[in-house]
Amino acid sequence: MKKLITLFFLLAIITLASSQSSISERQKATIQKDSIKKSRTAIDLEEKKIDSLISSLGKFKIYKKAAHASYYADKFNGRRTTSGTKFDNNKYTAAHKKLPFGTKVKVTNEKNGKFVIVEITDRGPFVKSREIDLSKRAFMDIAANKNSGGLQVTIAVMSN
């Protein structure tokens, strides 16, 4: 009789433990689903913010296609630009030979369609074949190959 009670007791413990683990598995699945829903909502909100920002900036008029873009060397970080601002390789800025300072420019990588919007704060590049020098951050955001020093872009100027 003692063996029967002990066996019954063990079966009850095993049943209770397995039912608790299945409840926790269900809870985990529910939490994961909720987390995925929240992530999708956050992504949708970010995409809407980006679309809103782009539309609020205005329309862009193509300035030049098949232009060659490069990026500033690290040694220029912290130096003064021609416009008088301090250069920061982590901001979205660029140098152009002719466009006025403060001009917002949309630079699109022709190979992958990625783009950045930068502000002209400096003169250059002083290499005949290059059209625009981007900050390192702007360049890396649109570059397909992070090890390349240049890429073909389309430059569009914001029109009011």
Side-chain angles (χ1 to χ4, degrees), residues 97-111:
K97 295 170 188 165
K98 297 177 183 175
L99 291 172
F101 297 134
T103 303
K104 301 281 188 201
V105 178
K106 179 179 175 183
V107 182
T108 307
N109 182 340
E110 293 182 353
K111 285 190 177 179

Side-chain angles (χ1 to χ4, degrees), residues 15-32:
T15 306
L16 182 62
S18 68
S19 68
Q20 284 178 346
S21 69
S22 66
I23 290 171
S24 67
E25 291 300 320
R26 279 189 239 137
Q27 288 173 340
K28 286 179 187 175
T30 303
I31 290 169
Q32 285 177 340

Side-chain angles (χ1 to χ4, degrees), residues 110-138:
E110 293 182 353
K111 285 190 177 179
N112 62 15
K114 290 182 178 181
F115 69 89
V116 290
I117 297 171
V118 295
E119 182 178 348
I120 303 298
T121 60
D122 203 3
R123 290 290 169 235
F126 300 109
V127 176
K128 205 172 193 179
S129 63
R130 293 188 195 141
E131 185 71 25
I132 193 166
D133 261 344
L134 300 171
S135 64
K136 195 169 191 176
R137 181 172 186 179

Side-chain angles (χ1 to χ4, degrees), residues 6-20:
T6 307
L7 182 62
F8 179 74
F9 183 69
L10 285 173
L11 283 173
I13 291 173
I14 291 170
T15 306
L16 182 62
S18 68
S19 68
Q20 284 178 346

Side-chain angles (χ1 to χ4, degrees), residues 42-54:
I43 290 169
D44 291 343
L45 286 173
E46 285 302 313
E47 287 176 351
K48 286 179 184 177
K49 285 180 188 176
I50 291 168
D51 291 342
S52 172
L53 176 65
I54 291 168

